[in-house]
Amino acid sequence: MVKKDEFTVTPWEVKGKVDYDKLIKKFGTSPLDEDLLKRLEGIAGSMHIFLRRGVFFSHRDLNLVLDDYENGRGFFLYTGRGPSGPMHIGHIIPFIMTRWFQEKFGVNAYIELTDDEKFLNDEKISLDYSRKWSYENALDIIALGFDPDRTFIFQDTEYIRNIYPMAIKVAKRVNFSTVRAVFGFRNETNIGMIFYPAIQIVPTFFEKKRCLIPAAIDQDPYWRIQRDIAEGFGYFKAAAIHNRFLPPLTGPEGKMSASIPETAIYLHDDEETVRKKIMKYAFSGGQATVELHRKLGGNPDVDVSFQWLWYFFEPDDNRLKSIEDDYRSGRMLTGELKEILIERINEFLEIHRAERENAKKKIKEFKESGRLAQEMNAKIIE
Ligand code: TYM
């Protein structure tokens, strides 16, 4: 059990109330400050809501990525998904950000589906199961609008031949005491998991350019190891931008978890399910009775419906501010706030469902026949 104001963030567990400022210090990353965001905005020509709102709050070497872009050296993008089941609306935050960078900077993006990791990490997950979900998750990712000529989606158990030479080179440079300290591995940890970090590090070497990784901060431990060894191979230290965790429906702490259905809205949830889940589970910052709420007002800082609007379902800053004021003052009730969120999520999911259907026709391009896919399938990374 985590005690009050203690928290844990690892690639496999997020518990307690995450203090993001403390994490920046603990992980040794840098805050995404105003100056850097202004510079990014100047080059990209616009500012994504995730950057403006601070959903992405921390980075490593983003300034160097921008230098490389401006001096013509360029960079590439890398992110991924562990196919342990259906994806929820938190999982797509790093992918939406990656797609935005691809569109603004016209660069290649590599997306890893770690069917091996999920099989190794969970007793209950069979290899058939994580392979099946790799396909399903790829459709959700493609639906977000990646460019088929500049995006390569690969599944570890299929693509391993091309990355194994580099994986063993990485593995040879990383010893057990390092991964034990970084990931908390124990004597009982299976040896597949102990090797796995090498597999997640290899894609940072797909091009001899700097790699920018948009992901939640839980994935940062991999990049710490990568940064220790990259230059020894003649490659760049990976750059990263880190997002916060979309809070679970049931409360402001921890993260939305795909394995606890009442905490999550899945991308496949239909309109009625979205309504029922939010009405039943969304943690409220409202008062116990309407009378008290009108008198004392609600607390948007802990209200999960408001938090989700802040994260991405209400992109209009003025509208968000007026919702916040109305809720805080008691003019708006929790039920009304929930209605706004339900409508926004259902609008988003309706479009997503249609794009996901289209993705079924496109998936071959991303894995095999698109320009980047062909190039990658023909090359061994060494
Ligand atoms: P996975 O499948 O656990 O998560 C996929 C991506 O979603 C982020 N994430 C979240 N973001 C916001 N709110 C949440 N509640 C939330 N939960 C998860 C994760 O940080 C991740 O970016 N080992 C990885 C797969 C992987 C990968 C990568 C991820 C392989 N290579 C490179 C990022 C970058 C995994 O299991 O992610």
Side-chain angles (χ1 to χ4, degrees), residues 95 146 155 164 182 186 244 265 284 288 294 345:
F95 290 96
F146 286 94
Q155 189 176 327
Y164 195 62
V182 171
R186 292 166 299 134
R244 296 166 195 262
I265 297 289
S284 161
R294 295 278 186 224
I345 293 185

Side-chain angles (χ1 to χ4, degrees), residues 87-286:
M87 287 174 80
H88 59 54
I89 54 173
H91 289 134
I92 57 176
I93 290 176
F95 290 96
I96 293 173
M97 193 79 269
T98 305
R99 184 204 169 268
W100 182 85
F101 271 95
Q102 178 175 66
E103 185 186 307
K104 298 293 169 194
F105 292 86
V107 295
N108 290 339
Y110 299 89
I111 297 174
E112 179 175 42
L113 299 170
T114 58
D115 52 353
D116 50 351
E117 176 198 8
K118 294 298 141 173
F119 165 69
L120 288 165
N121 183 46
D122 188 334
E123 272 307 308
K124 297 181 291 297
I125 292 185
S126 71
L127 192 50
D128 278 351
Y129 181 89
S130 66
R131 283 177 168 158
K132 164 186 167 291
W133 280 104
S134 297
Y135 171 78
E136 298 295 334
N137 291 176
L139 298 181
D140 284 312
I141 293 165
I142 293 166
L144 300 172
F146 286 94
D147 173 351
D149 270 334
R150 290 185 197 275
T151 310
F152 179 46
I153 301 183
F154 60 101
Q155 189 176 327
D156 286 344
T157 62
E158 291 174 355
Y159 191 58
I160 188 68
R161 179 174 182 276
N162 302 51
I163 59 175
Y164 195 62
M166 192 64 189
I168 56 174
K169 288 183 188 171
V170 169
K172 199 172 176 179
R173 296 276 173 93
V174 183
N175 61 32
F176 179 54
S177 75
T178 299
V179 288
R180 184 175 50 196
V182 171
F183 296 107
F185 292 152
R186 292 166 299 134
N187 282 352
E188 303 73 49
T189 304
N190 70 59
I191 59 173
M193 281 307 286
I194 294 165
F195 179 72
Y196 170 73
I199 306 278
Q200 184 157 331
I201 286 172
V202 172
T204 65
F205 303 133
F206 276 2
E207 295 185 20
K208 284 249 162 135
K209 290 179 185 170
R210 207 177 302 274
C211 168
L212 174 65
I213 309 167
I217 187 105
D218 61 332
Q219 300 297 312
D220 188 73
Y222 293 100
W223 324 138
R224 271 193 321 252
I225 298 179
Q226 192 274 4
R227 290 170 61 88
D228 282 345
I229 61 174
E231 288 174 349
F233 291 117
Y235 285 91
F236 289 94
K237 290 184 178 186
I241 49 169
H242 307 108
N243 65 280
R244 296 166 195 262
F245 302 105
L246 189 66
L249 201 48
T250 42
E253 294 187 0
K255 69 164 182 176
M256 178 180 281
S257 168
S259 54
I260 315 173
E262 64 271 24
T263 69
I265 297 289
Y266 299 107
L267 297 172
H268 65 238
D269 280 343
D270 62 25
E271 289 191 10
E272 225 8 69
T273 309
V274 169
R275 165 169 293 280
K276 278 197 194 128
K277 278 192 184 172
I278 290 174
M279 283 303 179
K280 185 160 176 199
Y281 298 117
F283 183 85
S284 161

Side-chain angles (χ1 to χ4, degrees), residues 28-72:
T29 65
S30 309
L32 260 182
D33 59 31
E34 277 298 305
D35 287 349
L36 188 51
L37 288 177
K38 282 245 156 61
R39 182 175 176 211
L40 175 59
E41 184 178 16
I43 301 172
S46 71
M47 181 74 120
H48 194 273
I49 168 185
F50 291 160
L51 299 164
R52 201 172 69 232
R53 296 261 166 93
V55 173
F56 279 79
F57 68 102
S58 149
H59 77 103
R60 290 183 186 273
D61 289 350
L62 179 62
N63 43 341
L64 299 183
V65 170
L66 298 181
D67 289 349
D68 286 355
Y69 179 75
E70 286 190 318
N71 68 27

